[in-house]
Structure formats: C-alpha cells, structure tokens
Amino acid sequence: MTWCILILGILLPQSLAHPGFFTSIGQMTDLIHTEKDLVTSLKDYIKAEEDKLEQIKKWAEKLDRLTSTATKDPEGFVGHPVNAFKLVKRLNTEWSELENLVLKDMSDGFISNLTIQRQYFPNDEDQVGAAKALLRLQDTYNLDTDTISKGNLPGVKHKSFLTVEDCFELGKVAYTEADYYHTELWMEQALRQLDEGEVSTIDKVSVLDYLSYAVYQQGDLDKALLLTKKLLELDPEHQRANGNLKYFEYIMAKEKDGNKSSDDQSDQKTKLKKKGVAVDYLPERQKYEMLCRGEGIKMTPRRQKKLFCRYHDGNRNPKFILAPAKQEDEWDKPRIIRFHDIISDAEIEIVKDLAKPRLSRATVHDPETGKLTTAQYRVSKSAWLSGYENPVVSRINMRIQDLTGLDVSTAEELQKDEPDAFKELGTGNRIATWLFYMSDVSAGGATVFPEVGASVWPKKGTAVFWYNLFASGEGDYSTRHAACPVLVGNKWVSNKWLHERGQEFRRPCTLSELE
C-alpha cells in the first residue's frame, strides 16, 4: 500500500487581507469546509500512520508471544515440522515484507539492525528445502493436508496451523519441481480454507490457476475443465484460463470423435499417468515408508517367543558382574539387541555439548562420482568425537568394548572425505554397529531394516547393536538399514562402527559363508 502526503497551498481572497472587511458568509463557510477537509485529510494521514504502526505492533506482539514460547523449549518447538517450516518462511519472506513497511518511516535504527541480522536469515533455497521436507513427511507418514494444516500431529507440544498463504506456498514449491501430485493436494487445501472463510491475500483465481493445470498434468481432463470454468466464473477475462478452456474442449472433442492425431498421443500418455502417486515414487520407498509408520512385516508369535530380556555381564566382565546391563532382543535374524539404561542423561549432555560446535551436514556416497557428498533427502548433521578429547567419550568407548567383546581401538573416530575411506583406515569393513539413542522422539525417527521388515524405535538412554558381517567376513545384506525422518521432535543418536581388524580372536571366523 502506498501512502501519499498532500501539501495544500491556500490562496486567501484579497478581501481577507484587510481587517474588518468581510461580508461574504458564504466565503467563510467555504473556508470552514476547506479546513474541515484539511482536518479530514490530516486525520486520514494520521490514521494511515496509526494503522501502519498498529500493524507493526500486532506483528511484534504475535512474535513476542511466539518467541517467548519457542525459547523456552527451542528443540521441542522446531521439532514440530510445521513450526520449522513457518520459522524458515517467516524469516525469509515475512520479515522482508515488514522491512518494506517500516522503510516507509524513518526507523533507521531498526532497519540497520534488521539489515545486519538478515545475513543470518534463511534464503529462498532454505525455504524451498523446508517445504520439501514437509512434503516428504506427508508421504512417509501418510498424512492428509488437512491434518498437517490444522497441526493435528501426534505428540505435539506446540500446535501450529498453516494459513492459505502457507498451503499456497507448499503447492508452488511442488509445482516448480513438476510434482503435480503434491501441487494438487496443497492447492485444494488452500481452496478449501478460502471456502471456509479464511481471510487471505491469496485469491481463489490464483489457486485455481495452479490447481487446474496440475490436475491436467496428471491426466484428469474432466476435472481440469471443471476447475477452469470455475476460475472463469470469478475472472472471465483471465487470458490463460480462456486459452486452456478452448484447448481442453478441443482435446475432449477429438477424443469423442475417435480421431486422435499423432500430436494427441502425448496427451493420451499423460492421461494414462497414475494419479495419487508422488513424482519420485519407487517400490522400495513404499516398503521403507510402511516400516517408518510401523506397518512393516510383523514377526510371527512363534518367532516372538524366542525373543528374551536378560541381564548381561559382558562374559563375566568385572565391571558388569555386580551391575549387569539390561539386554533385550529386538529382532532374531539379523539379531538386533537393545541395551537399556546404558548411557546416563549426564553423559548424553556432555556428548551433545562436545558435538554441537562441530555439527555439519552428513554426507552420503554418490554412486556416479564415487565421492562423498551432501544429499537433499538427508538433512541430518554429524560430528566425530575421539576418546582422548574427553574422559566421558573414552569411558563410553570402553563400555561398548566390554559389552560387545569387540576391540574398539580400530573403530571409526574421524570422518574421512575419501570415497574409499575404509581402505584408507586399514581396518577392514565395518563388522558391527552400535547405535546410542540420546533422545526420545515424539513421533517418527525409527531405524528400519527393509530387507527383513524390522523397525527399531528411539528410546533415550538405550543402544542397539547388530553385526553387519557374518563371522565368515561376508556381508549380511539383511542389516541394510535406513533412518526414518522425525515427524515431531528431535532425534539425537551416536554411532560407533567397529571394524574387522583386531577382532580375529574375539570373533573367530567360521567355515560357512552365512554364519
């Protein structure tokens, strides 16, 4: 909105230049009305400034309440995916809009401070990444748009809602990725909230424009035509919608006549696209997502009876004879064991404090380049700690050695950037994995094993352990695993990968490849 200040120059009649000489009441009343108009104009200007200040005041009060809540439990607050998305969106987009509003006044102090702080703000790429993360959670946990928009997620501490603008933004992000499946879902949600009476700067015409095209791209020509007509009812002069309407009607007429030209074959292929499936759908992903939701393969009662809880003394290790560790079987083949109460809260906080300054984006192996690189689908951060840095880390390392019977001196401590990191270490392959869970997770965050259908859920203070190799040294592919995204909360884990070298007498080799 543009504010215009009017400076009015008043030319007084000559008669008023002489005192006592004024006979025209009409002229005076005109001046009164002129002054009244000036006062009205002045009040309009004041009101405009007050409205602007009131708008800023309401924004500040809302953000004050929000940040007061958020700073009391920062991890819990951003653990809610909607809060995380809205935080990124707010800092990248909405604070810039506020900056433009404040710039219309002489608020130099605030602007200079905001300009300095903006270098730490998220950018467009971050906002798109946050939107994609929310879409991934939607697919992984099979959530409908209304559930996410209303913040009805399991275990939430800070319920949050998506506005029409938020839903529209998610739909646009999907659209730019040619992900018309999610474009349709979120544009429909935005339209639904507008129909329910939500006040928004986004109008139905804009939403229907994206929605009709997304539906068409998925092959539903009838629905695309219906949505286009609905758009034109709101804006009959919409140029693109008028063009699309003619095109859709032309295609439908050609289909009815059964005289499809070669140009129409591509449209037919589009029509045969499978609706209701994300653009990056893979069969393996379906199994992974089912396991993340706890819908994977269930162990038979007969197999479950063979799983036990026990006290473990580390094969008569003096440290655990009087205070044995609590051990529970999570899975039989491959054997996955959970140790309960194996790391204290105090130890967890020390490890987290050591790691926080060094956290950086975790890397994955790129099969095309053979190098380690960050991946868009994996946004975790990691840090590597050595035993000599702190006695607590050294003590934890020894605890792992005592309970597993494996030598930790050849285990990984430093991250390697070389693609052939294990060869560089000279310690052989990873024989086993020890995984500490250092936080509880309100929802999501399981470690899943797609080959066998196992899901292991985070529980603070516990650790899970399994062998990646058979005793023969051959790889056990059933231990291939993946981390599920956290739906609500934060997930802290600590890995210890133990290697082959040094285990020759601790885990003797067998003659059978699969033992």
Side-chain angles (χ1 to χ4, degrees), residues 454-465:
S455 299
V456 179
W457 301 92
K459 185 178 180 182
K460 186 178 182 181
T462 71
V464 289
F465 173 78

Side-chain angles (χ1 to χ4, degrees), residues 363-375 377 419 480:
T363 56
V364 294
H365 184 267
D366 189 330
E368 294 184 3
T369 63
K371 297 180 179 180
L372 291 173
T373 182
T374 57
Y377 60 85
R480 291 176 64 230

Side-chain angles (χ1 to χ4, degrees), residues 374-385:
T374 57
Q376 294 299 319
Y377 60 85
R378 187 177 185 184
V379 292
S380 61
K381 291 190 174 183
S382 63
W384 296 80
L385 305 176

Side-chain angles (χ1 to χ4, degrees), residues 269-327:
K269 290 178 182 177
T270 300
K271 188 169 184 177
L272 293 175
K273 283 182 182 178
K274 187 177 180 182
K275 283 203 68 180
V277 176
V279 68
D280 55 352
Y281 172 82
L282 290 172
E284 295 84 356
R285 177 176 164 179
Q286 182 182 26
K287 189 173 184 180
Y288 159 78
E289 290 177 350
M290 288 180 65
L291 289 171
C292 289
R293 297 192 296 266
E295 300 171 1
I297 299 172
K298 304 299 181 183
M299 191 178 291
T300 63
R302 184 175 181 180
R303 287 173 64 186
Q304 285 181 334
K305 288 180 180 179
K306 297 180 181 179
L307 303 181
F308 294 96
C309 294
R310 67 187 68 82
Y311 286 105
H312 180 64
D313 61 9
N315 295 320
R316 304 295 294 171
N317 187 295
K319 298 177 184 177
F320 293 100
I321 290 177
L322 293 179
K326 302 170 186 175
Q327 198 180 75

Side-chain angles (χ1 to χ4, degrees), residues 392-442:
V392 170
V393 179
S394 178
R395 186 165 70 242
I396 291 171
N397 284 338
M398 288 307 301
R399 190 176 305 155
I400 295 171
Q401 178 169 297
D402 292 336
L403 289 171
T404 62
L406 298 175
D407 189 348
V408 298
S409 63
T410 58
E412 291 178 54
E413 289 180 346
L414 298 176
Q415 186 175 18
K416 293 287 181 176
D417 291 331
E418 298 84 355
D420 199 0
F422 297 163
K423 182 178 180 181
E424 196 70 23
L425 285 170
T427 55
N429 287 326
R430 292 170 175 169
I431 190 174
T433 298
W434 179 284
L435 177 62
F436 280 113
Y437 289 115
M438 305 174 74
S439 66
D440 290 314
V441 178
S442 300

